[in-house]
Amino acid sequence: MNILIIGSGGREHALAWKMAASPLTDKLYCAPGNAGIAQEAECAPLDVSDHTAVIAFCKEKKIGLVVVGPEVPLCAGIVDDLEGAGIKAFGPTKWAARLEGSKGFTKDLCKANNIPTAAYERFKSVGPAKAYVRKTGAPIVVKADGLAAGKGVVVAETVQEAEAAIDMMFGGGLGSPAWEIVIEECLVGEEASFFALCDGETAVQLASAQDHKRVGDGDKGPNTGGMGAYSPAPIMTDAMNKRVMDEIINPTVRALARAGAPYKGVFFAGLMITKDGPKLIEYNVRFGDPECQVLMLRLMSDLVPALMAAHDGQLKNFNLRWYPDAALTVVMAAKGYPGNYSKGSVIEGLDAAAQVEGVEIFHAGTKADGGKILANGGRVLNVCARGKTVREAQVRAYQAVDRIKWPDGFCRRDIGWRAIEREK
Ligand code: AMP
């Protein structure tokens, strides 16, 4: 089967690496891809927001399955358009992708189905939102309704901060004025990411992971798309995983099926493990980046039949096998990220780094220029490693990092610290 992956980051490189190894894959394409993905797949310079062009490409290349990496094309309805043209596509429909695209939609779904989540209210204007914040007090969380690339959430420590966030979001501070915001209770606990494949009726748990969102060591500084991750998350015991499936994932699957829009694709549930149990912070409708990278390193089974089974409604008797090892990834970013950074600096030493035992390097934002690899984004490389423990994976990943010669890049030096403390 010929397969097309949509996307261009480290997540898509990890998916390409895994799917290229499948005996079911004849020819693998990625649109638009990056310099690392080009080692696994043929990169096609398609504008993926042009669904007609993507459909024409799939027909020409006889694509048997399209795997959509990022949320933006999913929320834009690329799966609906591909399926409408008779092309199999892995991922939720536009309607179901609202689980990520609309916080209000998800919160209402949780409320209607007793899915544990933070208490909340929805607001369409500044006045009532501020009145609610003053009445409720801080800490409190303010969220813009639509997709905001991780920038649409403010965890406010004071009422003044919450009011400023409300003004900012309704005032266009996120690019365009929010049409609605959600204000919710601030949950206390430890965060974890939980993944499950779903075929519309049956959900199959994948592995758990934890990521590091802040840019600096000690989880300090501004939020980013993720500076590293590891799997499994020690807090996600078998009993906790079962609670998440029973209390969060399966009620969601049933609710969407009842609504006539069965969910096919991957659930990425952002959780807070509170003293009362797991609560849903948010849903994403695609693999996490960089969590996907560590999941793919730990997945022993072939990914392609699993994605096909999710698409075809055949997950009921499906079993996935995992390596017992831990996996960890360190993100190398361009200096200045998540603020301003420059592109085009040369990265060397990647081959030497990849030779460290257990190490796999996925490209997040790179470009090939002749024989050189150039930085081409904020998050640029994912240096990943497997190990018997998170600690062993961490040591290997940083050995590889230290072989990479990229003066314009940086990384955190403490990825995995929480899990490693527990291992001690
Ligand atoms: P989100 O984009 O919804 O994942 O939110 C980004 C981050 O904000 C999460 O990873 C949490 O660290 C934090 N956050 C979001 N909602 C809450 C909440 N209700 N209570 C505490 N922290 C939250």
Side-chain angles (χ1 to χ4, degrees), residues 103 118 141 143 150 153 155 184-187 191 213 223 272 281-282:
K103 307 233 184 253
V141 182
K143 300 184 171 184
V153 175
V155 181
E184 65 180 38
E185 166 200 6
C186 189
L187 298 172
E191 282 185 59
K213 283 228 163 26
N223 254 327
M272 188 71 85
I281 297 177
E282 62 158 3

Coordinates of all heavy atoms in Angstrom, one line a residue, residues 103 118 141 143 150 153 155 184-187 191 213 223 272 281-282, ligand 1:
K103 N -13.0 24.4 22.9 CA -13.0 24.0 24.3 C -14.4 23.9 24.9 O -14.7 23.0 25.7 CB -12.2 25.0 25.1 CG -10.8 25.2 24.5 CD -9.7 25.1 25.5 CE -8.4 25.4 24.9 NZ -7.5 24.3 24.7
A118 N -12.4 20.0 35.0 CA -12.5 21.2 35.8 C -13.9 21.9 35.7 O -14.4 21.9 34.5 CB -11.4 22.2 35.5
V141 N -8.4 29.6 35.5 CA -7.8 29.4 34.2 C -8.7 30.0 33.1 O -9.9 29.7 33.1 CB -7.6 27.8 34.0 CG1 -6.9 27.6 32.6 CG2 -6.8 27.2 35.1
K143 N -9.3 30.4 29.0 CA -9.0 29.7 27.7 C -9.8 30.3 26.6 O -11.0 30.4 26.7 CB -9.3 28.2 27.8 CG -8.6 27.5 28.9 CD -8.9 26.0 28.9 CE -7.9 25.3 29.9 NZ -8.1 23.8 29.8
G150 N -1.3 26.3 21.4 CA -0.8 26.3 22.7 C -0.7 27.6 23.5 O -0.3 27.7 24.6
V153 N -4.2 29.5 26.5 CA -4.5 29.2 27.9 C -3.7 30.1 28.9 O -2.5 30.1 28.7 CB -4.2 27.7 28.2 CG1 -4.4 27.4 29.7 CG2 -5.1 26.8 27.3
V155 N -3.1 30.4 32.9 CA -3.4 29.9 34.3 C -3.1 31.1 35.2 O -1.9 31.5 35.4 CB -2.5 28.7 34.7 CG1 -2.8 28.3 36.1 CG2 -2.7 27.6 33.7
E184 N -12.3 28.3 33.8 CA -12.4 27.1 34.6 C -11.6 27.0 35.9 O -10.6 27.8 36.0 CB -12.2 25.8 33.7 CG -10.8 25.7 33.2 CD -10.6 24.4 32.3 OE1 -11.5 24.1 31.6 OE2 -9.6 23.8 32.5
E185 N -12.0 26.1 36.7 CA -11.3 25.8 38.0 C -9.9 25.4 37.7 O -9.6 24.7 36.7 CB -12.1 24.7 38.6 CG -11.5 24.0 39.7 CD -12.2 22.6 39.9 OE1 -13.0 22.1 39.1 OE2 -11.8 21.9 40.9
C186 N -9.0 25.9 38.6 CA -7.6 25.5 38.4 C -7.4 24.1 39.2 O -7.6 24.0 40.4 CB -6.7 26.6 39.1 SG -5.0 26.3 38.7
L187 N -7.0 23.1 38.4 CA -6.8 21.8 39.0 C -5.4 21.7 39.6 O -4.5 22.3 39.1 CB -7.0 20.7 37.9 CG -8.4 20.7 37.2 CD1 -8.3 19.7 36.0 CD2 -9.4 20.2 38.2
E191 N 0.4 16.3 35.9 CA -0.1 16.2 34.6 C 0.4 14.9 33.9 O 1.6 14.5 34.1 CB 0.2 17.4 33.7 CG -0.7 18.6 34.0 CD -0.4 19.7 33.1 OE1 -0.5 19.6 31.9 OE2 0.0 20.8 33.6
K213 N 6.7 21.3 29.2 CA 6.2 22.4 28.4 C 7.1 23.6 28.5 O 7.2 24.4 27.6 CB 4.8 22.7 28.8 CG 3.7 21.8 28.3 CD 2.6 22.5 27.6 CE 1.7 21.7 26.8 NZ 1.6 20.3 27.0
N223 N 6.0 29.0 28.3 CA 5.5 27.7 27.7 C 6.0 27.6 26.3 O 6.2 28.6 25.6 CB 4.0 27.8 27.7 CG 3.4 26.9 28.7 OD1 3.9 25.8 29.1 ND2 2.2 27.3 29.3
M272 N -5.1 15.8 34.4 CA -4.5 16.2 35.7 C -4.8 15.0 36.6 O -6.0 14.7 36.8 CB -5.1 17.5 36.2 CG -4.4 18.0 37.4 SD -2.7 18.6 37.1 CE -3.1 20.3 36.6
I281 N -8.0 17.6 31.3 CA -7.7 19.1 31.1 C -8.2 19.5 29.7 O -8.8 20.5 29.5 CB -6.2 19.4 31.2 CG1 -5.7 19.1 32.6 CG2 -5.9 20.8 30.8 CD1 -4.2 19.3 32.8
E282 N -7.8 18.6 28.7 CA -8.2 18.9 27.3 C -8.1 17.7 26.5 O -7.3 16.8 26.8 CB -7.3 20.0 26.7 CG -5.9 19.6 26.7 CD -5.0 20.3 25.7 OE1 -5.5 21.3 25.1 OE2 -3.8 20.0 25.6
Ligands
AMP1 P1 -4.2 23.1 27.3 O1 -3.8 23.9 26.1 O2 -5.6 23.1 27.6 O3 -3.5 21.8 27.4 O4 -3.5 23.9 28.6 C1 -2.1 24.1 28.6 C2 -1.6 23.9 30.0 O5 -2.3 24.8 30.9 C3 -1.9 22.5 30.5 O6 -0.9 21.6 30.1 C4 -1.9 22.8 32.0 O7 -0.5 22.8 32.5 C5 -2.5 24.1 32.1 N1 -3.9 24.0 32.4 C6 -4.9 24.0 31.5 N2 -6.1 23.9 32.2 C7 -5.8 23.8 33.5 C8 -6.7 23.7 34.7 N3 -8.0 23.7 34.6 N4 -6.0 23.6 35.9 C9 -4.7 23.7 35.9 N5 -3.9 23.8 34.9 C10 -4.4 23.9 33.7

